Amino acid sequence: MSQFLSALSEHAFLQTALLAGLLASIGCGVIGTFVVVKRIAFMAGGIAHSVLGGMGAALYYGFDPLLGALFAAILSALLIGTVRLFWKMQEDTLIGALWAIGMAIGILFIAKTPGYAADLMSFLFGNILLVPTRELWFMAGLDLVLMLTVALFYRQFLAVIFDEEFARLRGVPVAFFYLLLLCLVAVTVVLLIQVVGLILVIALLTLPAAIAGHYVHSLGGMMVIATLLGGLFTSLGLGLSYGPDLPAGPTMILLAGGVYVLSALLSRFLTWRGALRQATQT
Amino acid sequence: MFAHTLPPSPFDHREKASAIPPAAERPEAPVILVRDLSFSYGDALVLEQVNLSIAPGEFVGLVGPNAGGKSTLLKLILGLLAPQTGQIRVLGQPPRQAARRIGYVPQFPSFPRDFPISVEQAVAMGRLGIGPMLGWHRAADRDAARRALEEVEALDLARRRIGTLSGGQLQRVLLARALAGEAEILILDEPTANIDQRVESDIFDLLAVLNRRLTILLVSHDIAFISDYVSRVACLNRTLLYHGTDAVNAETIQQLYGGHVRLVAHRH
Ligand SMILES: Nc1ncnc2c1ncn2[C@@H]1O[C@H](COP(=O)(O)OP(=O)(O)O)[C@@H](O)[C@H]1O
Ligand SMILES: [Mg+2]
């Protein structure tokens, strides 16, 4: 860790990596909270994995893979959202199919692109050390879009997440905001893919918000705590992995996963003790 | 204690509703009008040729056996479902346009109980569709939410998390959410199904007060209990079997439930 801190001041790529982690944690805190509370982690997983199709195609045709990822993520968010809203039958099977189809398309494209192996690995598991500086601007732009959209339509998002039926009665265009929410999830997935890769995205999207949910009981509070936790996990994961030369993404996820398990046990214990105390008092 | 710190009530303009004369001498257009309505979810007809007219200021109790179509009829009136045949008018408008003028208390809370939200925020949700669309919760909405909570005698719950409420408290809060949106009609679907009888009478006393300025349509399975409160009872079992203004009698109940249900009298 001390090795990392001294290296941090020397190497620009480490500073970029740290910043990338922090930028990603804004998305993971704000949108991750929505995903956890609305219980759409499976949909988010579907969106994240089908993104490989877009990345592979972009690579094959010579575009920026991130643009391909963004395009594929939005497309798959709209497809999954439409299925959930209007089809309703076998929603989970259809999401699973989309999940697999996207990945299969991506792997075919990548196999036909020269020099694919290294790219495939960094798409799947991320490589925060290879984030180019100009991509920080792209990430910051996505963060800005996320925060602006959520701030402008906070009440509508809250209503759709809390109680769709009631929101519809109050004249909120529920389908529109539901799809918009999934598009924000798509944008966040693209943000996080930079950092931990598409396989591990779902963990970074849900774990910080879920930990926050153990202790705070307001949506805004969860967003703030989850953002801080996301920043902590990415920075700490980066620092811990640097010395022993471990891949950064899995280190971050192990950290987040470990804290989540401990926190779940702790909050379980606290609830149990609270109930016990109440029972002995009465 | 909050009364003088809050701006004037948004309900004030509706105070004149209490001046409406009794039903018999009222020539006005009905608040809810259902004509020749039929509805099915798939093959089986849930509602058949339903006709119902509710005048301003009425308190109508809708009773009937389980799966008789009561909740379905309410959802059609609210515009959550569209009728296959027949016509519905609410305050002279198609249901979807009038929905914002109705306060709705659902049979089952349609949100997870562990949702991280305070009572006040949940009630403020009833203000959606009023005022500008963009932005965060406004002070005016918060004040309206607090006034609605005060009206249902639940202001002390404002800061509580929704998941910590008892069944009776939750019903009051859902009622406050329905009131916060400046409702002209209240529609309640078995609001007292899961709470004990003392609390049930409290809530009905509250509804009786609200009925002075609001038209109320309420679903209940407990025909004897509500007949003490409502101005009229309608009985629904696929068709509307009975909607007279007389008191409910044993014969109606026999007709409705097929004689399997005894009439249990509640006297409080
Ligand atoms: N969403 C739905 N899809 C299919 N059938 C439904 C749905 N909701 C209700 N039903 C059916 O419609 C009938 C009437 O239901 P409902 O209106 O809930 O009755 P009640 O409120 O009087 O108990 C029941 O047979 C029920 O199974
Ligand atoms: Mg029902």
Side-chain angles (χ1 to χ4, degrees), chain B residues 187-201:
Chain B
I187 291 187
L188 306 98
D189 198 348
E190 307 210 22
T192 54
N194 301 311
I195 56 188
D196 64 63
Q197 265 192 11
R198 195 182 46 79
V199 182
E200 184 174 16
S201 334

Side-chain angles (χ1 to χ4, degrees), chain B residues 4-252:
Chain B
H4 30 256
T5 59
L6 295 173
S9 161
F11 307 128
D12 287 347
H13 68 278
R14 270 185 266 103
E15 222 84 304
K16 54 182 176 291
S18 58
I20 287 173
E25 351 167 342
R26 233 182 285 140
E28 297 127 275
V31 169
I32 296 175
L33 182 66
V34 176
R35 213 180 296 147
D36 301 328
L37 174 74
S38 296
F39 180 84
S40 67
Y41 285 104
D43 299 333
L45 217 50
V46 175
L47 297 173
E48 189 178 0
Q49 288 294 314
V50 171
N51 286 284
L52 176 69
S53 170
I54 298 179
E58 274 197 292
F59 187 158
V60 175
L62 187 63
V63 299
N66 255 332
K70 304 182 294 296
S71 297
T72 303
L73 178 58
L74 295 195
K75 286 182 178 165
L76 284 156
I77 292 171
L78 288 159
L80 290 170
L81 298 170
Q84 274 108 14
T85 59
Q87 206 192 23
I88 303 175
R89 280 286 173 277
V90 179
L91 297 161
Q93 293 177 302
R96 292 208 55 165
Q97 284 165 35
R100 257 178 265 188
R101 302 162 73 184
I102 305 176
Y104 173 52
V105 179
Q107 181 171 11
F108 308 104
S110 37
F111 50 84
R113 284 295 292 271
D114 62 356
F115 198 96
I117 191 172
S118 72
V119 163
E120 188 184 289
Q121 285 174 317
V123 172
M125 217 89 84
R127 301 282 301 170
L128 275 165
I130 297 171
M133 184 170 154
L134 300 180
W136 299 72
H137 292 280
R138 284 174 296 271
D141 294 338
R142 225 197 48 198
D143 291 342
R146 295 185 73 88
R147 265 194 308 276
L149 279 168
E150 194 174 26
E151 193 164 28
V152 301
E153 291 152 31
L155 191 54
D156 54 320
L157 303 176
R159 303 232 156 265
R160 290 266 292 276
R161 187 152 40 97
I162 199 119
T164 65
L165 302 182
S166 71
Q169 289 171 329
L170 183 63
Q171 283 309 329
R172 279 176 193 273
V173 168
L174 291 179
L175 187 55
R177 178 177 73 164
L179 292 172
E182 298 171 10
E184 293 162 58
I185 307 170
L186 260 187
I187 291 187
L188 306 98
D189 198 348
E190 307 210 22
T192 54
N194 301 311
I195 56 188
D196 64 63
Q197 265 192 11
R198 195 182 46 79
V199 182
E200 184 174 16
S201 334
D202 288 350
I203 288 187
F204 271 89
D205 291 340
L206 191 61
L207 291 177
V209 174
L210 291 171
N211 185 222
R212 289 185 204 145
R213 61 177 175 84
L214 297 168
T215 309
I216 300 181
L217 172 59
L218 174 137
V219 164
S220 174
H221 57 277
D222 191 346
I223 193 169
F225 183 83
I226 66 164
S227 56
D228 291 347
Y229 292 92
V230 298
S231 48
R232 190 153 65 102
V233 173
C235 303
L236 183 68
N237 187 8
R238 198 159 61 114
T239 55
L240 212 56
L241 288 179
Y242 172 88
H243 55 118
T245 39
D246 311 333
V248 185
N249 58 35
E251 195 187 321
T252 331

Side-chain angles (χ1 to χ4, degrees), chain A residues 37 39 151-156 158-159 161-163 165-166 168-172 177 217-219 222, chain B residues 75 78 80 99-100 104 110-111 114-117 125-126 128 132-138 141 161 177:
Chain A
V37 171
R39 297 177 195 192
L152 279 179
F153 299 110
Y154 185 77
R155 294 189 310 151
Q156 283 79 3
L158 181 61
I161 289 171
F162 179 60
D163 190 338
E165 182 181 84
F166 195 80
R168 188 165 288 129
L169 290 176
R170 297 305 310 168
V172 176
F177 280 105
H217 302 290
S218 75
L219 224 51
M222 276 178 78
Chain B
K75 286 182 178 165
L78 288 159
L80 290 170
R100 257 178 265 188
Y104 173 52
S110 37
F111 50 84
D114 62 356
F115 198 96
I117 191 172
M125 217 89 84
L128 275 165
M133 184 170 154
L134 300 180
W136 299 72
H137 292 280
R138 284 174 296 271
D141 294 338
R161 187 152 40 97
R177 178 177 73 164

